[in-house]
Amino acid sequence: MKKFRNSYAAYMLLYSFYFMSTSLFTTLISVYLMGKHYSATQVSTLVSVAFFLSMVAQPFFGYINERFGIVKMTTLSLSVIIGGVFGFLWAPNLFWLTVFYGIVLVCLNGTAPMMEVFATQSPYAFGKIRVWGTIGYSVGVQIAGWVYHQFSPQAVYYTVLITILLSIFCLSAVRMKKKETVVEKVVKSAAANAENNFDMNPDNLYVAEVYANQGPTMKRWRAGSQGRASIILKRSSHVGVTLREKE
């Protein structure tokens, strides 16, 4: 498990299984519902309502990610998908099918931007991870058709549950980079300068002083009434750090 943690395989499988579950859940929805004797109008209404809800919910997902953390919220979202799939399989009528299909689709589409963040902040090239999403989606389409034909329509959605569980397992192995503050970056830069330019031991350094001075002020203009222009001052600052070596 230690070798798997934050490895390329963890990101690869996370992307593959997540997008595979998306294709498994959405590819044959029309065939599945028409097999339950719903009309084309009813199917299109269900899909339209679900997609509308998923679009409306996007800002909410962005807010809760910033508030509570992307890893926690992605895990919660994937867990809600599991409950939604079970509810979708249980649903006795079109109303409950719409409700649970909407819940799952909201979480799937809301989780997609989070996956992009995982790929961006991973220690690997974005393209080398993102390509597995495309591969996973394509494979999921083929698996959906094969499972539907070989077993049953419901088996497709049980397969979704398996891929979501595998996604959660892979997500547990992903480690996000902690965002550095401006002061942390300046301290690291000062320590590197002290080591390379003054042959100081970085292990013996401590922060003696942190200060912020006024930096350049950029002038911008905004159109005002009666042909006038009002000035906008965009101020900046210089952050400095003084490091000293322990005696």
Side-chain angles (χ1 to χ4, degrees):
M1 184 64 183
K2 289 184 178 180
K3 291 183 178 180
F4 185 66
R5 188 172 299 158
N6 220 41
S7 65
Y8 179 74
Y11 287 94
M12 177 192 75
L13 293 174
L14 173 62
Y15 247 73
S16 299
F17 286 130
Y18 167 74
F19 283 99
M20 188 183 299
S21 63
T22 302
S23 64
L24 282 166
F25 187 75
T26 58
T27 297
L28 297 178
I29 182 64
S30 299
V31 179
Y32 176 76
L33 293 175
M34 295 182 103
K36 286 181 167 288
H37 309 294
Y38 290 106
S39 66
T41 302
Q42 290 174 316
V43 174
S44 62
T45 301
L46 180 150
V47 174
S48 299
V49 170
F51 270 99
F52 175 76
L53 290 175
S54 69
M55 291 178 61
V56 172
Q58 292 300 312
F60 173 72
F61 271 89
Y63 170 76
I64 60 176
N65 283 335
E66 294 179 357
R67 184 76 182 273
F68 301 105
I70 187 171
V71 176
K72 290 182 180 179
M73 294 316 304
T74 302
T75 305
L76 177 61
S77 179
L78 294 175
S79 302
V80 171
I81 290 173
I82 293 174
V85 173
F86 275 119
F88 182 78
L89 289 167
W90 162 84
N93 53 48
L94 185 66
F95 172 78
W96 287 110
L97 282 169
T98 305
V99 169
F100 287 111
Y101 185 78
I103 289 173
V104 175
L105 201 63
V106 163
C107 292
L108 283 172
N109 290 339
T111 306
M114 306 181 204
M115 292 295 166
E116 302 296 321
V117 175
F118 287 129
T120 303
Q121 296 191 9
S122 73
Y124 310 100
F126 175 80
K128 290 183 178 180
I129 297 174
R130 185 63 184 84
V131 67
W132 289 104
T134 305
I135 294 172
Y137 192 95
S138 302
V139 171
V141 172
Q142 298 301 316
I143 292 176
W146 181 80
V147 171
Y148 190 98
H149 177 72
Q150 295 292 330
F151 299 98
S152 68
Q154 289 78 11
V156 176
Y157 298 98
Y158 287 115
T159 309
V160 174
L161 294 172
I162 295 172
T163 55
I164 291 295
L165 288 172
L166 290 170
S167 298
I168 293 175
F169 171 74
C170 295
L171 179 62
S172 66
V174 169
R175 296 292 179 267
M176 295 290 289
K177 291 181 182 178
K178 183 181 177 181
K179 292 185 178 179
E180 293 182 336
T181 64
V182 174
V183 175
E184 287 175 330
K185 292 179 180 178
V186 173
V187 170
K188 286 186 177 181
S189 176
N193 288 337
E195 181 181 7
N196 296 325
N197 299 336
F198 300 99
D199 295 326
M200 300 173 74
N201 186 354
D203 295 331
N204 295 332
L205 296 175
Y206 68 95
V207 178
E209 185 181 7
V210 179
Y211 54 89
N213 296 328
Q214 183 175 352
T217 300
M218 296 184 291
K219 294 182 179 180
R220 297 293 183 267
W221 301 92
R222 179 174 58 191
S225 61
Q226 300 179 357
R228 298 174 184 172
S230 56
I231 189 171
I232 301 174
L233 299 178
K234 294 192 174 184
R235 306 183 188 277
S236 63
S237 60
H238 291 150
V239 178
V241 173
T242 301
L243 300 181
R244 291 199 177 99
E245 200 167 18
K246 297 178 183 177
E247 297 179 358

